[in-house]
Amino acid sequence: MTIDLDAPGSSGLLDASSRREISFLSNMYVLGLTLTAGIGGLLFGYDTGVISGALLYIRDDFKAVNDSSVIQETIVSMAMVGAIIGAAGGGWINDVYGRKKATLVADVVFIIGSLVMCAAPDPYILILGRLFVGLGVGVASVTAPVYIAEAAPSEIRGGLVATNVLMITGGQFLSYLVNLAFTEVPGTWRWMLGVAAVPAVVQFCLMVFLPESPRWLYMKDKKSEARVVLEKIYNSDRLEEEIDQLAAAAMQDLESRKRSVSYMDVFKSKEMRLAFFAGAGLQAFQQFTGINTVMYYSPTIVQMAGFASNQLALLLSLIVAAMNAAGTVVGIVLIDRCGRRRLALFSLSGVLVSLVILSLAFILQSSCNSNNQILSLGFCSSGIGWFAVVGLALYIACFAPGMGPVPWAVNSEIYPEAYRGVCGGMSATVNWISNLIVAQTFLSIVELVGTGGTFMIIAGIAVLALLFVYIFVPETKGLTFEQVERIWKERAWGSEASSSGSSQKLLEYVA
């Protein structure tokens, strides 16, 4: 994929000297940084997917787990609790100690958690291991997008950050393959959970030899080290432009860097409140528009179509995970062509239609179950099922390229350097809290209003998400971090707040 910055429709915000075709493969150094940091996303996806298969065998080994749904729920949700804590603290670790050290810390904690789970003599030690794994995943979910974004040229930044989301969906797919591979191996669930330490060890070893984020180095007055890294990313003409932009950003952030930025500082600044509201809102709507609920009900949807075997349900999990990963690849291609905002709007429009289809399918199924005359026509056992399968396929096809990668890409680029770690951590925490809320309330809502009614409620949330993106989320395609920062200043205080002569042009572009 290439992006011609001189083509019609490009942002036009970079200097002429920088206008050239840039592709993902034009700099293998940047691609290597991206893939190494993306292993954190792989761990993220693997951990969220592997427990579904492992829990079946954990129940066989521990009677206490088999007899208590509360313990089963705790084993699953404890990783989310750890991720919430890890994401909240990960932003501070990123700002104070850097992106590289934060990644190394996440790997160590994840390795410890995987080994504790693998060797757990009872379910309570297993829960402790899940907490450690969650802590590592939480820190990684904050760190990887920021590290990638700060090393990436602005023209392909969105696609490179979306690569981390591809690693997440790839990790989920890998977890299903691993579950399938170890079903006949003694100590099944211990292998499933313990093997997660391998990619964490690989990432730790690779990160030791990789540099710190050049932007973080520059902001910490390690300018010579930052220049060495930037020289490997940009040619000589572009290098000086990037260093000039870093110098300008350093001057603007001087006051903030005299002291550590606290979480409350985010809410004291009007422009930061606007930025965080947009970023955290995207993360919340990513979860509340139903990705986990649709994935949860995918086996049921296939059974509605007339296929009831457990083997087929397992195969479906693999197919849905593969579709999710393939959709993310489409998102990588489109995010720097179409832009983040437009891609999110198209994605949510398709999600809305698919949720309505799923809702109608479950409502019709419920009606058929209470009406033997309709059931005798055979429509309920096949037609409605395939109607639901179409809704499922449409949902994955629309969600994966847009609302999968866009929230992470936007949150990696909308905050000034001094706030990037803190705000990124806070927005990731919102994502994990939203995930936990959905997981803990979904079945209760289904019992109250039915599955069809629940999906209709989620469709209503998708409408709110569309309005939110349209009103509050600016387009950041092709913009430098400094240009994005000016967007929030102009939204907060008007165009007079920007000292750059191109502010009005930038505002017109965003509008």
Side-chain angles (χ1 to χ4, degrees):
M1 168 191 169
T2 60
I3 301 168
D4 186 353
L5 298 178
D6 290 321
S10 65
S11 69
L13 293 168
L14 292 174
D15 293 341
S17 62
S18 299
R19 295 181 180 178
R20 66 188 189 281
E21 288 193 350
I22 296 179
S23 71
F24 294 131
L25 300 179
S26 61
N27 190 315
M28 300 306 294
Y29 182 75
V30 174
L31 186 60
L33 294 179
T34 300
L35 293 177
T36 300
I39 295 176
L42 183 75
L43 299 175
F44 182 163
Y46 184 89
D47 180 69
T48 56
V50 72
I51 193 63
S52 60
L55 190 61
L56 299 174
Y57 299 94
I58 293 171
R59 289 163 54 184
D60 292 339
D61 277 7
F62 297 126
K63 186 176 184 299
V65 177
N66 189 56
D67 294 343
S68 173
S69 59
V70 173
I71 295 179
Q72 293 177 38
E73 291 172 347
T74 303
I75 290 172
V76 174
S77 63
M78 188 55 64
M80 294 184 192
V81 173
I84 291 170
I85 299 170
W92 176 80
I93 295 172
N94 268 267
D95 280 342
V96 176
Y97 297 104
R99 291 48 164 142
K100 177 177 178 177
K101 288 182 180 177
T103 302
L104 296 174
V105 168
D107 286 332
V108 170
V109 174
F110 192 94
I111 292 167
I112 292 172
S114 298
L115 296 179
V116 168
M117 290 190 300
C118 180
D122 59 60
Y124 307 103
I125 299 298
L126 177 61
I127 290 171
L128 178 64
R130 290 285 291 168
L131 177 64
F132 275 103
V133 164
L135 288 171
V137 166
V139 175
S141 70
V142 177
T143 308
V146 172
Y147 183 83
I148 295 169
E150 292 186 341
S154 59
E155 300 90 338
I156 56 173
R157 184 175 58 226
L160 290 175
V161 173
T163 301
N164 183 61
V165 182
L166 175 61
M167 299 290 273
I168 294 174
T169 56
Q172 292 170 338
F173 181 73
L174 177 64
S175 71
Y176 297 134
L177 289 178
V178 169
N179 282 346
L180 189 61
F182 285 112
T183 52
E184 303 298 330
V185 176
T188 303
W189 64 269
R190 296 184 187 276
W191 283 102
M192 291 176 178
L193 300 178
V195 76
V198 175
V201 170
V202 171
Q203 185 182 45
F204 183 93
C205 294
L206 292 174
M207 283 300 299
V208 168
F209 298 101
L210 291 180
E212 180 55 78
S213 157
R215 296 188 70 89
W216 186 86
L217 288 171
Y218 201 94
M219 295 302 171
K220 293 298 181 179
D221 292 324
K222 299 180 180 181
K223 297 181 176 59
S224 60
E225 295 178 44
R227 188 181 184 93
V228 170
V229 181
L230 290 171
E231 286 175 346
K232 298 178 181 179
I233 300 174
Y234 301 104
N235 61 25
S236 57
D237 292 337
R238 182 68 177 272
L239 174 65
E240 296 307 321
E241 179 184 336
E242 292 293 326
I243 290 177
D244 288 344
Q245 290 173 353
L246 283 177
M251 290 295 294
Q252 292 177 358
D253 288 338
L254 183 60
E255 287 300 319
S256 298
R257 291 187 293 116
K258 287 180 179 178
R259 57 185 175 82
S260 296
V261 174
S262 69
Y263 296 106
M264 291 307 299
D265 289 334
V266 175
F267 301 101
K268 294 177 182 177
S269 166
K270 186 176 181 180
E271 55 262 41
M272 290 312 306
R273 289 198 301 271
L274 291 173
F276 177 68
F277 181 66
L282 275 173
Q283 294 284 30
F285 279 121
Q286 184 192 65
Q287 295 300 319
F288 287 126
T289 48
I291 180 60
N292 288 325
T293 57
V294 170
M295 298 287 277
Y296 177 84
Y297 261 89
S298 55
T300 303
I301 292 170
V302 163
Q303 289 176 350
M304 286 172 60
F307 305 102
S309 72
N310 291 333
Q311 290 82 0
L312 188 63
L314 181 59
L315 178 62
L316 173 76
S317 298
L318 287 170
I319 293 174
V320 170
M323 284 182 61
N324 203 11
T328 306
V329 174
V330 175
I332 291 173
V333 174
L334 293 180
I335 196 167
D336 286 310
R337 288 182 179 268
C338 300
R340 292 79 160 120
R341 184 172 180 267
R342 184 182 300 175
L343 188 58
L345 290 172
F346 278 116
S347 175
L348 286 167
S349 298
V351 163
L352 174 60
V353 173
S354 62
L355 287 169
V356 172
I357 292 174
L358 286 169
S359 176
L360 292 176
F362 277 101
I363 291 172
L364 287 172
Q365 183 204 35
S366 178
S367 175
C368 286
N369 289 340
S370 61
N371 191 326
N372 291 330
Q373 183 178 1
I374 297 177
L375 187 60
S376 65
L377 298 176
F379 179 71
C380 288
S381 62
S382 58
I384 293 178
W386 285 111
F387 187 52
V389 169
V390 169
L392 172 65
L394 179 63
Y395 182 93
I396 297 298
C398 293
F399 184 94
M403 284 303 289
V406 166
W408 297 105
V410 169
N411 274 278
S412 72
E413 60 193 6
I414 60 173
Y415 307 118
E417 175 66 31
Y419 290 85
R420 194 164 297 137
V422 168
C423 288
M426 291 169 64
S427 63
T429 302
V430 169
N431 184 292
W432 284 106
I433 291 175
S434 302
N435 191 337
L436 184 61
I437 291 173
V438 170
Q440 293 297 317
T441 62
F442 179 70
L443 292 179
S444 298
I445 297 174
V446 168
E447 291 178 1
L448 186 65
V449 301
T451 306
T454 301
F455 279 121
M456 193 61 74
I457 291 173
I458 299 173
I461 295 174
V463 173
L464 295 178
L466 270 166
L467 294 173
F468 177 86
V469 172
Y470 184 80
I471 296 171
F472 296 108
V473 179
E475 183 54 75
T476 56
K477 180 186 74 170
L479 304 184
T480 66
F481 288 114
E482 291 68 37
Q483 289 166 335
V484 174
E485 187 175 349
R486 287 201 295 271
I487 292 175
W488 300 116
K489 289 183 178 179
E490 292 180 0
R491 288 194 170 197
W493 310 109
S495 59
E496 296 82 3
S498 176
S499 60
S500 170
S502 62
S503 294
Q504 188 59 38
K505 180 179 179 181
L506 178 62
L507 188 60
E508 290 171 357
Y509 166 74
V510 174

